[in-house]
Amino acid sequence: MQNLQSQITQDNNTVFEESFQDQYTQYHYHCYEQELEELGEFCWEVFDESMNIINKENWCNMEMVLRSYSHLTECMDNSSMLAGCFYPNHVVEHLFMKIHQQYFSSCNNEEDLSDAPPGVVLVATLLPIALIPFIVYIVVWKSSLKY
């Protein structure tokens, strides 16, 4: 019985490894980067148009930019698939770096987030620590009960 389970496990692993290798060769050796760059330029243009609709002052407001950025990500994912490439890849990474430099380089998130008040930090730290002895007591109490 154990020999049969071992054989089934080995067969399943072999099938998994073979399908993974097929995927690797399908995408790795047939990635048309030139086509991906051209499709990426199309995605850039669509993103650029949507960002021009949003005022430049609102480019750092994630609520206003999120939909356009999500469409860009989806466009690049689909473009990678059409070009036979893995997603993400260095072509997509390069495009996103250019987009972040052009549109989001002046955004500073550190000023947007402030530290939590000390009381909140203290409670959030001590509450879980204080619950540990109580949980240990319940576990010991339940284990000492006889059915």
Side-chain angles (χ1 to χ4, degrees):
M1 179 70 173
Q2 187 176 11
N3 195 13
L4 179 61
Q5 288 176 337
S6 173
Q7 182 64 35
I8 291 171
T9 304
Q10 288 175 351
D11 289 345
N12 286 341
N13 287 341
T14 303
V15 169
F16 173 74
E17 289 171 5
E18 288 175 0
S19 67
F20 180 75
Q21 290 171 355
D22 290 342
Q23 179 184 9
Y24 182 73
T25 54
Q26 177 185 359
Y27 289 107
H28 182 70
Y29 295 110
H30 301 296
C31 178
Y32 300 102
E33 290 184 6
Q34 182 64 34
E35 182 179 334
L36 180 58
E37 289 174 3
E38 293 169 6
L39 291 168
E41 287 300 318
F42 169 76
C43 295
W44 173 293
E45 291 170 7
V46 172
F47 180 75
D48 185 55
E49 288 176 17
S50 65
M51 290 300 285
N52 286 332
I53 294 171
I54 302 171
N55 292 334
K56 190 172 184 175
E57 298 83 36
N58 294 323
W59 284 358
C60 294
N61 183 349
M62 266 321 266
E63 291 177 9
M64 307 235 359
V65 174
L66 190 59
R67 182 178 301 245
S68 300
Y69 196 84
S70 178
H71 287 301
L72 172 69
T73 304
E74 185 177 338
C75 181
M76 289 307 300
D77 184 19
N78 291 335
S79 298
S80 293
M81 186 176 62
L82 288 172
C85 304
F86 280 119
Y87 180 83
N89 54 58
H90 69 280
V91 174
V92 172
E93 180 182 333
H94 180 69
L95 178 84
F96 275 101
M97 292 298 290
K98 286 180 13 182
I99 285 173
H100 278 256
Q101 287 173 349
Q102 181 173 342
Y103 295 102
F104 307 117
S105 62
S106 63
C107 298
N108 187 358
N109 291 336
E110 291 179 15
E111 294 176 8
D112 296 342
L113 301 174
S114 60
D115 290 337
V120 172
V121 172
L122 186 63
V123 169
T125 305
L126 293 180
L127 185 61
I129 294 171
L131 287 175
I132 291 173
F134 179 71
I135 294 170
V136 169
Y137 170 77
I138 290 175
V139 169
V140 169
W141 176 67
K142 287 295 266 180
S143 66
S144 68
L145 293 177
K146 304 273 181 185
Y147 294 119

